[in-house]
Amino acid sequence: MGLSRESMGIKSVDCGLEIKKRKEEDKVIALAGNPNVGKSTVFNQLTGMNQHTGNWPGKTVANAQGWCTDGRQGYVMVDIPGCYSLMAHSTEEEVARDFICFENPDAVVVVCDATCLERNLNLVLQIMEATANVVVCVNLMDEAKKKKIFLRLDMLEQRLGVPVAGTAARSNEGLDQIYTGLNRCMEEKEENAALIQYPQYIEDAIKRLLPAVENMAQGKTEARWLCARLLDANENLMEALRKYRKAVAESEEVSACLAEIWEEWREAGISQEQVSDDMATVFINKAEDLCSGVVEYESQTYDRKDRKLDQLFTSKATGFPIMFLILLGTFWLTITGANYPSELLSNVLFKVEDWLFGLANAAGVPVILSELLIHGVYRVLAWVVSVMLPPMAIFFPLFTLLEDFGYLPRVAFNLDRCFKKCSACGKQALTM
């Protein structure tokens, strides 16, 4: 349609992605959530696409977009990478934070896992602090039902003050509630009172900083969020501010006020680490309060099996030996086991080569041409297929089984400490 970013009012976000609306009045919706909560399934069910955004090392971190409608309103859904926090410590968190906080989507749908809602609410609260228009989608309701976990979503909606939709995206259940929630939050323009209340010394500092930031921020919600993050002194965020909110980053008034507050904190013995820890603790405690009475378990021992497996696969005594045995077995099967199908495949393909050469001679094809095509091109292709195909056909299904079983995150956990000594994280073990 030849629509430019300027004409549609939103800038490109990352990796060259440019928001493409079908109509001027289409709304841009960010789809956020922790990794592995079914966010991409919600996106694909709504848009009819088959996309997956990456959140593991080795995959390009990018946003995906698709269009959908409820019959009245068109939406451009942007599936951003899964993240646990907006306080970015990795590329995927940075991409997610920048789009939600600085690219001004019309609303954010935060997808949560119904089987571990409390952990997911940490991100919900951080997003609600940064932007006003939020819909909470509690996905995997079918899995929660299987585990006999019951959720009172009406109570959660009342406590959060934003629409809450219960969905089972794989079976396409409840997705209409997302549209209902989006319509509601678009129509209700009033900004809710802040759910997060920091310790008093941080709240006092926010009040002092707010007048300097308010004039340059886009709305009261963003102003308060910016104040909190500036006080947190996250260098990663400062880089984003210099890119997206230059006026705030370069404001002498803001810098002077921040320096004054930090100096007072230093004199009072309050370290920057304490400020960050106090801020993080507030979100965790608030998520716990919100879940009280909302989540009910029929059996308190529903996760006993997972706990036992965690203990077995990640403990100091058994974690590493089991990991070495499993990985050794996987690589042995991949390398040694692949020799048999490789030999079989090469025998078949080279018999075909002889047959093709004979056929070419019988047909009177010039020798130089048949040598080039059959002993040259075909033979190389046969070697590549017979050598490469069997290991891949064994390794990838095995790796997929380990992932589905939930073992790979435990490997990442085991290796995290080792990788941190090399300034990396345990997740990178999966690509190595």
Side-chain angles (χ1 to χ4, degrees):
M1 293 176 68
L3 300 176
S4 69
R5 70 178 70 173
E6 290 80 10
S7 67
M8 303 316 290
I10 192 162
K11 295 178 281 184
S12 63
V13 286
D14 73 284
C15 301
L17 179 68
E18 193 167 330
I19 299 298
K20 294 178 181 175
K21 296 182 179 180
R22 294 188 182 182
K23 295 178 182 175
E24 181 73 31
E25 58 270 22
D26 285 350
K27 302 292 185 187
V28 178
I29 310 298
L31 209 56
N34 287 184
N36 304 318
V37 296
K39 186 168 58 63
S40 292
T41 309
V42 172
F43 173 82
N44 290 330
Q45 291 284 18
L46 289 174
T47 62
M49 298 177 73
N50 186 25
Q51 297 280 336
H52 195 288
T53 54
N55 52 11
W56 62 89
K59 186 175 186 347
T60 302
V61 177
N63 297 328
Q65 63 174 308
W67 189 86
C68 59
T69 179
D70 61 354
R72 293 188 306 165
Q73 175 67 57
Y75 299 101
V76 178
M77 289 284 174
V78 181
D79 185 14
I80 61 179
C83 62
Y84 294 104
S85 167
L86 291 186
M87 298 165 193
H89 295 97
S90 60
T91 307
E92 62 268 20
E93 288 181 350
E94 202 176 305
V95 169
R97 180 205 60 198
D98 288 355
F99 188 69
I100 292 170
C101 303
F102 299 119
E103 296 290 352
N104 304 322
D106 294 291
V108 181
V109 175
V110 194
V111 183
C112 301
D113 184 345
T115 62
C116 49
L117 185 62
E118 185 179 319
R119 189 181 68 191
N120 287 235
L121 283 180
N122 186 28
L123 180 66
V124 172
L125 290 169
Q126 289 183 35
I127 292 175
M128 285 182 65
E129 190 191 33
T131 181
N133 292 337
V134 174
V135 175
V136 176
C137 168
V138 182
N139 192 34
L140 300 175
M141 291 294 286
D142 48 348
E143 288 295 318
K145 194 175 177 183
K146 281 180 194 171
K147 293 183 176 179
K148 298 183 178 178
I149 302 171
F150 303 101
L151 294 104
R152 297 182 61 184
L153 298 185
D154 53 339
M155 185 187 287
L156 180 65
E157 182 172 299
Q158 194 178 10
R159 290 179 179 179
L160 287 172
V162 298
V164 175
T167 64
R170 276 179 302 197
S171 49
N172 206 22
E173 290 178 18
L175 295 177
D176 288 345
Q177 295 175 46
I178 294 176
Y179 292 127
T180 308
L182 285 171
N183 287 329
R184 274 180 54 196
C185 74
M186 299 285 181
E187 289 164 6
E188 296 168 6
K189 295 291 182 185
E190 291 182 12
E191 293 186 1
N192 294 321
L195 279 175
I196 292 298
Q197 291 296 315
Y198 295 108
Q200 196 55 48
Y201 75 95
I202 297 178
E203 287 292 338
D204 291 341
I206 289 175
K207 279 180 190 170
R208 286 170 61 184
L209 193 57
L210 204 55
V213 174
E214 218 162 24
N215 293 332
M216 293 166 278
Q218 299 177 2
K220 288 183 179 177
T221 304
E222 188 189 80
R224 180 180 162 81
W225 177 78
L226 277 174
C227 287
R229 299 288 72 78
L230 284 167
L231 290 167
D232 194 17
N234 183 315
E235 184 52 37
N236 189 292
L237 177 84
M238 293 307 295
E239 284 180 22
L241 282 182
R242 284 190 278 273
K243 180 179 177 184
Y244 295 99
R245 297 289 185 271
K246 203 172 179 180
V248 178
E250 294 181 352
S251 168
E252 290 183 5
E253 188 183 0
V254 171
S255 301
C257 190
L258 275 174
E260 195 177 312
I261 291 168
W262 285 334
E263 182 58 33
E264 288 177 14
W265 281 353
R266 265 194 296 273
E267 289 174 3
I270 300 171
S271 66
Q272 199 59 56
E273 289 75 19
Q274 184 185 337
V275 176
S276 299
D277 289 347
D278 286 346
M279 284 184 170
T281 304
V282 167
F283 285 98
I284 293 166
N285 290 340
K286 188 65 184 179
E288 189 179 350
D289 289 344
L290 286 168
C291 275
S292 175
V294 169
V295 182
E296 294 176 0
Y297 303 95
E298 185 175 303
S299 169
Q300 294 297 326
T301 59
Y302 75 99
D303 59 347
R304 180 181 290 173
K305 182 183 169 188
D306 287 339
R307 297 295 177 208
K308 282 185 177 176
L309 289 175
D310 283 342
Q311 199 173 10
L312 182 68
F313 291 139
T314 61
S315 74
K316 288 181 181 176
T318 56
F320 275 89
I322 291 176
M323 183 182 73
F324 284 126
L325 285 175
I326 290 178
L327 293 181
L328 194 66
T330 303
F331 289 126
W332 182 83
L333 277 175
T334 303
I335 296 168
T336 306
N339 287 336
Y340 302 101
S342 276
E343 188 179 351
L344 187 66
L345 200 57
S346 65
N347 288 338
V348 172
L349 290 174
F350 287 116
K351 278 183 182 174
V352 173
E353 180 190 346
D354 294 339
W355 177 77
L356 284 174
F357 193 71
L359 192 67
N361 284 339
V365 177
V367 176
I368 188 168
L369 190 60
S370 59
E371 287 275 356
L372 179 68
L373 292 177
I374 298 170
H375 288 166
V377 176
Y378 178 83
R379 183 176 289 181
V380 169
L381 188 65
W383 271 119
V384 170
V385 170
S386 57
V387 170
M388 297 297 294
L389 186 61
M392 287 193 292
I394 294 172
F395 178 75
F396 286 112
L398 282 176
F399 218 60
T400 303
L401 282 174
L402 290 174
E403 185 179 15
D404 288 347
F405 183 64
Y407 185 66
L408 293 187
R410 290 165 172 131
V411 171
F413 176 84
N414 285 337
L415 293 175
D416 190 57
R417 183 173 293 178
C418 305
F419 274 71
K420 271 188 175 174
K421 289 179 180 174
C422 309
S423 300
C425 73
K427 284 195 292 182
Q428 287 171 295
L430 306 183
T431 48
M432 293 180 72

